[in-house]
């Protein structure tokens, strides 16, 4: 079944229907095909998308079913009876968020080798420079982006901070 799904996704990716799945997408996040993204997407930019789960809180309380029966002298004839009531409530709704990423056309072995070198200089990558988006590289990307962004997908912001993508000049006005 997994081979079928992998083949299906690869076929769809070649036809341009979806972005190719690969080792750059963390669990739960997806890379979007060029032209897909948030409503305010920049033309020609590529995006990743992830969803933060809802935050659910369990509330447990004791509900009085029958009050205690007390004799006139203050002695307890029958203790109070309580029922435990547990319910859940959503503290924060789930949220979809988009983030700009380098497009797949940029993610060549040469670019990935540059990512590895830049992360090595910053002390988060400890493997050989292979030009492959392997587990060590993904782990280093996550470490570099933490604590602000917990993902193995290299964001455009991180690529810029690594000096791999030029900052765009603000429009003169």
């Amino acid at each position: 079944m997994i081979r079928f799904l992998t083949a299906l996704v690869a076929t769809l990716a070649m036809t341009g229907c979806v972005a190719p799945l690969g080792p750059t997408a963390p669990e739960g996040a997806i890379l979007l095909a060029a032209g897909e993204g948030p409503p305010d997407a920049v033309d020609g930019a590529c995006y990743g998308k992830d969803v933060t789960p809802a935050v659910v809180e369990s509330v447990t309380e004791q509900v009085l079913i029958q009050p205690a029966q007390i004799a006139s002298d203050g002695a307890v004839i029958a203790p109070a009876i309580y029922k435990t009531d547990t319910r859940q409530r959503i503290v924060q709704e789930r949220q979809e968020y988009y983030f700009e990423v380098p497009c797949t056309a940029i993610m060549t072995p040469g670019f990935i080798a540059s990512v590895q070198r830049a992360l090595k200089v910053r002390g988060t990558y400890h493997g050989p420079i292979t030009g492959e988006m392997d587990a060590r590289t993904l782990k280093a990307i996550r470490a570099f982006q933490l604590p602000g962004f917990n993902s193995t997908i290299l964001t455009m912001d991180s690529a810029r901070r690594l000096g791999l993508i030029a900052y765009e000049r603000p429009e003169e006005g």
Side-chain angles (χ1 to χ4, degrees), residues 6-26:
T6 303
L8 176 63
V9 169
T11 302
L12 291 173
M14 287 187 282
T15 62
C17 294
V18 296
L21 291 178
T24 58

Side-chain angles (χ1 to χ4, degrees), residues 66-120:
Q66 179 178 331
Q69 295 177 6
I70 310 285
S72 59
D73 64 356
V76 176
I77 298 170
I81 300 174
Y82 292 90
K83 174 181 102 174
T84 301
D85 184 27
T86 302
R87 56 186 186 282
Q88 295 182 331
R89 68 179 185 100
I90 296 176
V91 176
Q92 181 179 357
E93 296 287 335
R94 72 187 276 282
Q95 296 176 336
E96 277 187 357
Y97 63 95
Y98 295 89
F99 47 95
E100 191 176 354
V101 298
C103 292
T104 54
I106 295 173
M107 300 297 280
T108 64
F111 182 82
I112 295 169
S114 293
V115 170
Q116 291 169 330
R117 282 190 291 275
L119 292 170
K120 186 172 271 229

